Amino acid sequence: MSPNRFLFVSICCILVVANSNLSLRPAVITKEDKDKTVSEYLASYGYKFEEHKVETSDGYILTLWRIPCKLGGVCKPQQPILLQHGIFDNGFSYIFQEIDKNLAIKLVNQNYDVWIGNSRGTLPSQEHKDKIHHDPQNYSGAYWDFSWDELAKHDLPAMVDYIKKASNAPKIKYVCHSQGCTMILALGCIDPEYVTKNIQKVAAFAPAMYAYYHESFMVDLFRLIRFTQRFAETGLKNVMAQKIYQTMSALVGHYMPLAWILALDFIAGWKSKSHIDMNRIPLLSAHEPGGTSLATFDHWFQACYDPKFKYFDFGVKGNIEKYDQPSPPYYNVKNLKSLQTKFFFVYGENDSMVTPRAMKRLFEDCNPDNIGKLLVEDANHLDVVWADFAHRRIYPQVLNFLGTPYQDDLTKKMNIRNH
């Protein structure tokens, strides 16, 4: 079976199950919004948009989106803030909600200089300075030889440094979801001085670090059928990183929006009904999935069966070549206690990927004086960022934590639940 057909069949099986009792009824959303580019979409609601290219230290070229201010007025954004997505995602997930419920736009309205990252391998960031040896269109080529180790080591510092220079800012703030939080936590383990020096505050939604405590049926099922090993045998090195998957996603999201979100909930925590506005799914699905490398996907399967936070496992031979030892090293999580950066962790009660047990383990690694916590009842891995109730139950507390641009005063009382 071809690699594309193998993944296509896997996805279709999930959709068939999810949609078994649903009619082919399109969701309600204007075709105009769904078909617009990111720039056109934001401009239609009165916001300025810029696209920036950032080169990493290992030659990858990333696309950063910037929303500095509203259109038509004097544009004087203040402190920059970077919003970073999770695996199989891209930056559009931060702006798909209704404009008055949108975290990115709420930050713009508070005079933040909003930047949205797109990790290497996502459709917006499939570029490399060496187009011959690292061609992203060669799906079995060297371009795709990366995991989230490289996202933490190369992508995040490149984006932070670029944003600081472009904005002439001493520090930035950071908002992340899932693997986007893995990036800052791994970087904190590698270079805590860099994080403390450059990042003032982090609002972390469902921060993925200790996947060992997962409760996802999908993870266990895919491990049982040896999904990543079978996929690797095809020679393909990326997963859902071709435009065809986004086209298929748009069709399913338009005609079967509930099936689309149930397929994601199957992965992220199918313990309660979805809290995502179905009317927004056609818009979101037209920009998803973002795509990633097979190694990044496999890295998470490795993490699901090791209680410690470790680098990618290449196998004995590959580990000796990469690390000079037969097994991959572990991240030095003790460095997280030395961070002066303030963290606010938001996590869902029904999250099957980042469970409350995993969060308890993460809290133990952090300096208790520098963290805040919010447990969101009846929420899964996606709800904490995408839920229709987020603008009422979550974002106000996140905005309270972030404060106004350049605000350092953390003595302000926060209405949060600590666990």
Side-chain angles (χ1 to χ4, degrees):
M1 182 180 289
S2 70
N4 283 334
R5 185 177 298 175
F6 181 81
L7 186 57
F8 179 81
V9 170
S10 299
I11 294 172
C12 285
C13 288
I14 296 173
L15 289 174
V16 167
V17 172
N19 198 56
S20 57
N21 295 314
L22 303 175
S23 63
L24 293 176
R25 184 177 61 186
V28 179
I29 195 167
T30 63
K31 181 179 179 181
E32 290 75 15
D33 270 356
K34 184 169 68 70
D35 294 338
K36 287 174 183 174
T37 65
V38 178
S39 177
E40 292 168 343
Y41 172 69
L42 288 169
S44 68
Y45 289 98
Y47 289 88
K48 185 177 180 180
F49 173 82
E50 299 173 5
E51 184 172 282
H52 295 251
K53 298 294 183 179
V54 181
E55 184 176 322
T56 68
S57 56
D58 58 345
Y60 285 75
I61 298 174
L62 313 177
T63 297
L64 273 172
W65 296 334
R66 186 186 193 187
I67 315 173
C69 57
K70 293 182 177 180
L71 290 169
V74 178
C75 194
K76 292 184 177 180
Q78 298 182 38
Q79 187 176 20
I81 186 165
L82 172 60
L83 281 61
Q84 186 61 39
H85 62 81
I87 190 171
F88 294 125
D89 204 354
N90 62 63
F92 196 80
S93 62
Y94 281 109
I95 56 175
F96 84 96
Q97 292 166 313
E98 290 182 34
I99 211 70
D100 61 339
K101 299 179 181 180
N102 193 304
L103 179 59
I105 296 304
K106 288 180 181 292
L107 290 165
V108 175
N109 292 343
Q110 289 196 357
N111 293 322
Y112 274 103
D113 184 6
V114 173
W115 297 74
I116 301 176
N118 291 284
S119 298
R120 65 178 68 189
T122 61
L123 284 171
S125 290
Q126 290 183 9
E127 297 181 64
H128 197 283
K129 71 173 184 179
D130 184 353
K131 298 179 180 179
I132 297 176
H133 299 100
H134 290 79
D135 179 8
Q137 298 306 308
N138 178 1
Y139 300 140
S140 300
Y143 173 91
W144 298 99
D145 292 336
F146 64 85
S147 75
W148 49 254
D149 290 334
E150 283 69 36
L151 305 187
K153 183 179 180 181
H154 300 292
D155 286 17
L156 184 52
M159 290 188 288
V160 171
D161 292 345
Y162 181 92
I163 291 169
K164 284 183 57 183
K165 184 177 180 180
S167 303
N168 192 28
K171 284 189 175 185
I172 75 166
K173 293 177 183 178
Y174 188 70
V175 174
C176 56
H177 178 229
S178 192
Q179 183 176 267
C181 303
T182 312
M183 293 163 65
I184 185 69
L185 292 168
L187 184 58
C189 294
I190 298 169
D191 192 348
E193 291 80 12
Y194 177 89
V195 174
T196 293
K197 179 181 177 181
N198 293 287
I199 301 177
Q200 180 186 0
K201 296 181 182 179
V202 177
F205 295 88
M209 183 169 172
Y210 289 116
Y212 177 77
Y213 299 100
H214 77 91
E215 297 172 358
S216 171
F217 169 75
M218 183 281 298
V219 171
D220 293 330
L221 174 63
F222 275 31
R223 181 175 175 84
L224 178 65
I225 66 175
R226 301 178 68 248
F227 180 86
T228 56
Q229 292 92 331
R230 288 175 180 269
F231 204 96
E233 290 171 0
T234 67
L236 190 69
K237 291 185 177 181
N238 65 23
V239 184
M240 294 194 290
Q242 298 99 314
K243 184 65 177 178
I244 183 62
Y245 288 106
Q246 202 167 85
T247 301
M248 184 173 70
S249 169
L251 288 172
V252 175
H254 179 71
Y255 289 104
M256 298 178 287
L258 187 54
W260 192 91
I261 198 61
L262 286 177
L264 292 188
D265 284 345
F266 176 77
I267 299 171
W270 212 350
K271 297 181 180 179
S272 62
K273 68 176 183 178
S274 175
H275 297 287
I276 300 171
D277 183 355
M278 291 297 107
N279 290 324
R280 308 303 293 178
I281 296 304
L283 176 61
L284 176 61
S285 64
H287 296 267
E288 298 281 356
T292 191
S293 68
L294 178 61
T296 302
F297 191 42
D298 190 34
H299 201 167
W300 282 114
F301 276 94
Q302 295 175 12
C304 284
Y305 296 92
D306 192 309
K308 295 184 179 180
F309 191 43
K310 71 175 182 179
Y311 286 81
F312 184 78
D313 189 344
F314 292 91
V316 174
K317 182 179 178 181
N319 290 337
I320 291 174
E321 293 176 356
K322 178 75 173 181
Y323 310 120
D324 293 322
Q325 60 186 55
S327 58
Y330 292 104
Y331 279 94
N332 186 3
V333 297
K334 293 181 180 179
N335 283 337
L336 295 179
K337 286 192 180 294
S338 68
L339 293 176
Q340 296 305 304
T341 302
K342 310 298 182 182
F343 284 79
F344 184 56
F345 295 113
V346 181
Y347 58 110
E349 179 183 43
N350 292 332
D351 191 334
S352 293
M353 298 304 300
V354 179
T355 63
R357 288 180 64 203
M359 292 303 302
K360 183 175 183 294
R361 175 79 179 274
L362 173 56
F363 298 153
E364 293 170 354
D365 291 332
C366 298
N367 182 340
D369 295 331
N370 288 336
I371 64 173
K373 313 167 193 175
L374 174 63
L375 174 64
V376 185
E377 296 178 353
D378 195 29
N380 67 24
H381 194 66
L382 300 177
D383 285 335
V384 292
V385 181
W386 293 4
D388 194 44
F389 62 62
H391 72 288
R392 300 190 312 272
R393 293 173 52 190
I394 301 174
Y395 293 166
Q397 299 181 60
V398 171
L399 293 169
N400 190 49
F401 163 75
L402 290 170
T404 57
Y406 292 116
Q407 182 182 32
D408 279 303
D409 182 14
L410 292 180
T411 62
K412 172 171 70 167
K413 182 178 180 182
M414 293 189 295
N415 180 26
I416 60 177
R417 291 182 57 186
N418 286 286
H419 294 262

